[in-house]
């Protein structure tokens, strides 16, 4: 093992540059997938004709596929029908598709957890179904969804490492490049990568607990 050589100034900058790509992919995927999942989960909860069943089929199909297969399909298969995406976009699209399906189930479960008495109270006060959903059900459900959604976001951050298979220049790709120069760098670089993942995920966990305590 060569910690000094592996974690030299140049290598650290290279690894942090890769981690920046990891964070960018994760943040963009989180933002887009959250919006889509709230929409999909709400439509399924409201049992909107046709769309509800269509989303149910899509969600169940995607949830039962490995993320790696989706990444391969987006990057290698879509060009066969004329849709060619760069590595960054392909990684984001694959993560958004997979995470939207996973988080939409959390959203639907959260909406279903809201007590019927609160819904009936909203309706009896003169609110329409849509208004009750928007002003009563959704705000309560979103607060309850915080812990599982943050857990899913943590999984998403870790799942970005799978984009190494399409050579996205993220953290694990840069780790592999450095390790290719010297086998003695393997353990130090992996430990450093693990530290970066741990710090960010731990901070997310702390934020989740703080939000949960704030609303209890």
């Amino acid at each position: 093992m060569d910690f000094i050589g592996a974690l030299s100034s140049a290598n650290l900058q290279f690894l942090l540059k890769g981690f920046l790509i990891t964070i960018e992919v994760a943040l963009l995927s989180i933002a887009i997938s959250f919006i889509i999942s709230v929409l999909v989960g709400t439509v399924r909860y409201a049992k909107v004709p046709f769309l509800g069943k269509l989303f149910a089929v899509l969600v169940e199909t995607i949830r039962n596929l490995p993320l790696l297969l989706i990444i391969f399909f987006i990057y290698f298969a879509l060009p066969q029908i004329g849709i060619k995406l760069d590595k960054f976009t392909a990684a984001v699209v694959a993560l958004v598709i997979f995470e939207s399906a996973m988080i939409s189930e959390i959203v639907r479960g959260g909406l279903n957890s809201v007590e019927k008495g609160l819904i009936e109270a909203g309706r009896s006060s003169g609110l329409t179904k849509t208004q009750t959903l928007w002003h009563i059900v959704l705000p309560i459900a979103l607060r309850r969804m915080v812990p599982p959604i943050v857990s899913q976001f943590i999984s998403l951050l870790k799942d970005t490492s799978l984009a190494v298979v399409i050579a996205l220049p993220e953290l694990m790709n840069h780790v592999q490049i450095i390790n290719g120069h010297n086998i003695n760098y393997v353990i130090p670089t992996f430990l450093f990568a693990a530290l970066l993942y741990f710090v960010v995920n731990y901070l997310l966990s702390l934020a989740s607990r703080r939000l949960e305590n704030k609303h209890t």
Side-chain angles (χ1 to χ4, degrees), residues 125-162:
S125 66
L127 296 177
T128 64
K129 285 185 178 180
T130 303
Q131 290 172 330
T132 301
L133 175 63
W134 183 256
H135 295 291
I136 297 176
V137 179
L138 199 54
I140 295 173
L142 283 174
R143 287 196 292 270
R144 295 177 179 178
M145 294 175 213
V146 169
I149 285 179
V150 172
S151 295
Q152 194 61 44
F153 287 162
I154 290 173
S155 296
L156 186 154
L157 178 63
K158 293 184 287 188
D159 286 342
T160 58
S161 62
L162 292 176

Side-chain angles (χ1 to χ4, degrees), residues 21-22 24-26 28-29 67 70-72 74-75 85-99 156 159-170:
I21 298 296
T22 294
E24 289 175 353
V25 169
L28 190 56
S29 301
L67 175 56
I70 297 174
I71 293 173
F72 275 129
I74 296 297
Y75 190 68
L85 303 177
D86 60 74
K87 295 171 183 176
F88 185 93
T89 305
V92 170
V93 170
L95 285 166
V96 166
I97 290 172
F98 185 76
E99 296 300 330
L156 186 154
D159 286 342
T160 58
S161 62
L162 292 176
V164 71
V165 299
I166 58 174
L168 177 72
E170 46 77 59

